[in-house]
Amino acid sequence: MARELGISQRSLHRCLAERGEGGEGGTTFATALLGFRMQAARRMLGDARFDRLAVAEIGFRVGLRDASHFVRLCRQQLGATPGALRRLR
């Protein structure tokens, strides 16, 4: 990511640490990446076009290789299991 932005890894980490969302507190690259992954998963689970995909496949597509870890993260980050998020739409 840093290379694509044309900055050093340290500069990327420092920038994230200095500015959080809304200018409040910072974050880490790992936390930001997890947030982006979980938002992508939420969009996929809420879209009927992805119903043909198993939950594990959606987790894999957002960068998580372990299905049980994906389910735990959904529960923790999104407030519900992937199956429950699908049913909510």
Side-chain angles (χ1 to χ4, degrees):
M1 180 65 74
R3 185 180 11 206
E4 291 295 318
L5 294 170
I7 60 175
S8 70
Q9 287 182 7
R10 177 67 187 123
S11 293
L12 176 61
H13 287 276
R14 188 173 39 251
C15 183
L16 287 169
E18 291 171 358
R19 295 179 184 218
E21 289 185 24
E24 305 166 1
T27 189
T28 65
F29 181 78
T31 301
L33 181 59
L34 178 61
F36 291 129
R37 286 177 170 168
M38 297 313 295
Q39 290 309 311
R42 180 193 301 264
R43 284 191 302 274
M44 292 174 79
L45 291 165
D47 189 331
R49 293 177 293 179
F50 294 97
D51 281 353
R52 64 181 173 77
L53 298 178
V55 166
E57 177 63 22
I58 290 175
F60 181 76
R61 287 187 179 201
V62 299
L64 302 168
R65 299 201 180 266
D66 182 78
S68 61
H69 184 79
F70 177 55
V71 171
R72 283 192 308 274
L73 284 173
C74 280
R75 197 177 289 130
Q76 178 187 35
Q77 300 286 320
L78 305 177
T81 64
L85 291 170
R86 274 187 164 163
R87 287 188 297 275
L88 285 175
R89 75 172 141 80

